[in-house]
Amino acid sequence: MASSSRWSSLRRAAAISLLVIAFLAATAHGTQIDAQKPIVSAKSRRHPGLTVLGYVTPWNSRGKQLVENYRHKFDMICPVWYTVHAVDQDYEVRGAPPSDDDEAWYKRLQRPSTSAGGDELEALQVVPRFILDGWDRDDFRNLIINTTRWQMLSDRIMDVVVNMNYDGVVFESAATHLLPLPLTTLSDALHTDNKILVVVSQPIRSLGDTSDPLTAQQAAMMEQTNRLVLEALPQLSVLADYFSIMTYDMTGPGGREMNRRDLPEGGKMAQAAAQGNMREPGPNTAADWVSENLITFVEGTDPVIAKQQQQFQLNLKDGSPPRKFLLGVPLYGYKYPILYAEKSTGKLVKPTPVQNSSPHHAMMTGAAAPPLRHTLSQDSIAFLRAAGEPVLASDIVEILKEHRPEILKSEPEKEYYYDYEPVKGEGWWRVYLPTGESLGHVLDTINDVVEDDVSYIFGGAGVALWEVGQSSEELLAAL
Ligand SMILES: *[C@@H]1O[C@H](CO)[C@@H](O)[C@H](O)[C@H]1NC(C)=O
């Protein structure tokens, strides 16, 4: 279904090729602006009711400038600066703002400001991430069973938070679902100091309906993760002000299972797909999946359920906890090495270039040039030949400039995708990238759930963007 509609859209791609130019125009020209004077009006938020958290990593440091240019689009900024290690009998926090500039930057964000247009800009909350790094099973167990250690973990993190005057913490670990009790101490310490706790959580993934042994095993693992995440929610929701839910890589490096409905029954391709051997590239995220996750988290943290599940005598306060859910949205694309095959025969096929009829075309290069067209048999489909990898907005622009591929839109996700061959004869790749439209679609869908307050009562929702340094300006403008 999804694939065949993508292929029919390949046929009517000419109209969409204009998007290449729009995308290049939106991302390619760098803006050098006074760091303290954001360019856009302070009132231009698409959904002012949705909280926006932006992650900023030291390895894509242009994120700092983008945050300042678009600071009216954010409520919270999470610099990815700290790791927490279990050493000897104690815990050690490592990390710091990488430079004096970074320190000045986050302090600037914490103060109100005015935009270039004279609009007032509110202070942002700066909540750095603390991730439990390199922890093994024993490290987690030693923490869980020992209340002295709950206090030690809380103290080490709070030392940094108080010293640096941060507004709170984003807490992440590989097994946070095991940590509701240890985190009570950190949560109390933060709240006593009027600071906030954001807990990072795995998303809930839905299971495929296939019954073969390999995928059944994968399905069992997925089910197990879902169950662990859901079981811990009621307790964690009492401690956390926000959840940052990692709904980033819906498809991820391994691609997604090929939809067998796209393939002729009984054919080679269908057989391979049935054995779980056919993976295809796919969009990075989808609004439906994101809103399903939101609803699952809202229902999973219902205060009534939370009270019923109080098996650890957690000190639940009266009234519903201020549960807020930030749904992860990727600001990067993914590129996948692909092969093409005929759906009916499974025979490998290659795209062949189409000669452009107009003599002008041959002379045009760069963004203004028309896309290079390739044809494939109508019956063909793309599948993964190896794992995919993330690709930055800046790389995407380079690829577009150099290869001028046709850009197509995936439905219903509204992400763009295109195919290109980095080196002639060495294999094709497909890139999926988020767009202002796909991001807007996710925001609209989250907003629908928030406004549906008859069915769902909770503290609010928003997005967590990973991560600002990989973004294009077009994406931030769409917030
Ligand atoms: C709890 O942790 C502290 C600090 O590491 C340690 O000194 C103490 O022996 C531990 N207690 C138990 C019962 O393991």
Side-chain angles (χ1 to χ4, degrees), residues 89-90 145-146 148-149 152:
Q89 296 297 304
D90 205 339
I145 60 171
N146 187 332
T148 310
R149 287 179 174 244
M152 284 164 51

Side-chain angles (χ1 to χ4, degrees), residues 221-248:
M221 269 181 63
M222 210 181 265
E223 219 158 30
Q224 158 109 335
T225 309
N226 286 349
R227 192 173 51 75
L228 291 173
V229 169
L230 285 173
E231 280 175 2
L233 274 186
Q235 295 170 342
L236 286 173
S237 73
V238 182
L239 311 173
D241 300 275
Y242 295 88
F243 286 93
S244 177
I245 305 162
M246 297 196 278
T247 40
Y248 303 110

Side-chain angles (χ1 to χ4, degrees), residues 140-175:
F140 280 104
R141 206 200 37 193
N142 290 340
L143 171 63
I144 292 163
I145 60 171
N146 187 332
T147 55
T148 310
R149 287 179 174 244
W150 304 0
Q151 189 67 49
M152 284 164 51
L153 180 66
S154 170
D155 288 349
R156 299 302 166 263
I157 293 175
M158 285 306 290
D159 278 350
V160 177
V161 172
V162 170
N163 259 329
M164 305 295 283
N165 196 26
Y166 294 132
D167 301 289
V169 161
V170 171
F171 179 88
E172 182 172 349
S173 83

